[in-house]
Amino acid sequence: MTSPLSRDAIRTAAMRIAGYVRRTPVLHVDSAFGHGGPVSLKLEFLQHAGSFKARGAFNTLLSAGDLRAGVAAASGGNHGAAVALAARRLGLPTRIFVPETSSPAKVAVIRAQGAEVVIGGARYADAQEACDRYVAETGALEVHPFSAEPTMAGQGTVALEWEEDGPALDTVLVAVGGGGLISGIASWWTGRVKVIGVEPEGSRALQAALKAGGPVDVDVASVAADSLGARNVGPLVHAICRETVSDVVLVTDEAIRAAQAELWRDWRIAVEPGGAAALAALLSGAYRPELGERIGVLLCGANVDLGTLAM
């Protein structure tokens, strides 16, 4: 089994971004979350700007050419915060286009990184169109949230670190929005570790693409839509995931909320709905491991309104 994204590209990305991102810790427990075997949690929610997306943003900007026209991105929140962070660290002007539905907590993070925030319309698609027009007019570099090899290679460094710092794994559970994260992770582990995508029932772009044999548009309605709300994964994500991802399972919004609550109640870990989705698959039984199977769960995003976690 091969992947269009090479492990060498991920190694190169890791060296490129090493001075700019955190090497996030791994928490290993012998038995937890209803599983009788070992569970390894990669605490990527501790990353700069609150999500894994800082990796892809830095790799994209550090590998780009002339950036004098600045940087732009359309985002529901986490991608914009990561691009704003990377651009600020590199001294680049940034404009982030967000939809009206964006979480106020995430918009606040983007502004805190010094970017100009533009409300680009009611839906994410409207914000993307506004961003595209701005890029065409100015020549700014548009940083895509998932469907670009530099983004995927940056996100794949999560798996490289996890393998170096954590115990050996049989299976990893990864939340899927647009698919850039799972494309990078599955490319790193292809043929060696089983990679399972986890999507909300109301936002299943990757599952739909794999079932249809190509990218298709889906309706999006989920508590995790601000981070796992892509309508279409695009051809590059589909090409990689059909070769490298073992399966995609679906979780309900109720299961996602329950995973958030358990992480906060029992572990004092505060993550957003998208950050809890992978664990929801284990807790709810959407993914049922074998006895003793060594499971990895990626906790990928922390940009949550803490008031929603009060218990």
Side-chain angles (χ1 to χ4, degrees):
M1 184 182 293
T2 60
S3 168
L5 182 66
S6 72
R7 296 181 75 206
D8 282 344
I10 295 170
R11 289 190 188 95
T12 298
M15 291 185 288
R16 182 180 289 128
I17 69 177
Y20 296 92
V21 301
R22 289 181 178 136
R23 192 177 186 98
T24 54
V26 175
L27 174 62
H28 179 72
V29 289
D30 291 330
S31 177
F33 308 112
H35 177 46
V39 179
S40 170
L41 301 178
K42 176 65 166 167
L43 307 185
E44 186 63 13
F45 66 91
L46 296 174
Q47 188 54 257
H48 292 303
S51 86
F52 68 92
K53 286 181 176 287
R55 298 172 182 270
F58 272 113
N59 192 49
T60 299
L61 296 187
L62 290 167
S63 60
D66 187 353
L67 295 174
R68 285 176 293 181
V71 178
S75 172
N78 284 344
H79 176 61
V83 172
L85 165 73
R88 179 178 61 81
R89 285 282 305 274
L90 300 175
L92 302 169
T94 314
R95 185 174 293 191
I96 306 297
F97 295 81
V98 301
E100 295 170 3
T101 55
S102 291
S103 158
K106 293 186 178 183
V107 172
V109 174
I110 296 171
R111 287 200 170 103
Q113 297 298 338
E116 178 184 354
V117 176
V118 178
I119 305 300
R123 303 169 303 140
Y124 175 78
D126 300 322
Q128 184 63 65
E129 289 175 5
C131 181
D132 291 343
R133 289 194 298 271
Y134 174 75
V135 168
E137 292 167 1
T138 65
L141 174 72
E142 182 174 0
V143 184
H144 198 279
F146 54 86
S147 189
E149 289 195 22
T151 298
M152 294 172 176
Q155 319 307 29
T157 64
V158 172
L160 182 157
E161 282 184 11
W162 204 348
E163 184 169 40
E164 290 180 346
D165 297 346
L169 299 172
D170 298 311
T171 304
V172 293
L173 304 177
V174 181
V176 179
L181 174 63
I182 196 169
S183 294
I185 286 176
S187 293
W188 178 259
W189 265 319
T190 183
R192 301 182 299 126
V193 173
K194 183 168 64 174
V195 177
I196 305 294
V198 181
E199 292 184 300
E201 286 186 348
S203 182
R204 55 175 77 184
L206 180 57
Q207 188 205 54
L210 295 175
K211 183 177 180 179
V216 293
D217 287 346
V218 298
D219 294 329
V220 174
S222 170
V223 69
D226 64 343
S227 58
L228 306 182
R231 294 184 65 237
N232 189 310
V233 297
L236 181 57
V237 168
H238 174 258
I240 292 174
C241 289
R242 72 184 178 192
E243 298 285 339
T244 60
V245 172
S246 297
D247 195 10
V248 177
V249 300
L250 302 179
V251 292
T252 65
D253 282 356
E254 291 75 18
I256 291 172
R257 287 295 196 197
Q260 272 188 291
E262 181 162 333
L263 283 168
W264 178 243
R265 182 188 65 240
D266 297 345
W267 301 82
R268 281 301 182 253
I269 291 175
V271 294
E272 63 193 85
L279 182 62
L282 186 60
L283 287 170
S284 69
Y287 179 76
R288 297 183 182 276
E290 300 292 332
L291 183 64
E293 186 175 345
R294 299 169 298 182
I295 301 295
V297 179
L298 180 61
L299 304 181
C300 58
N303 291 319
V304 60
D305 178 353
L306 294 177
T308 64
L309 300 177
M311 300 185 68

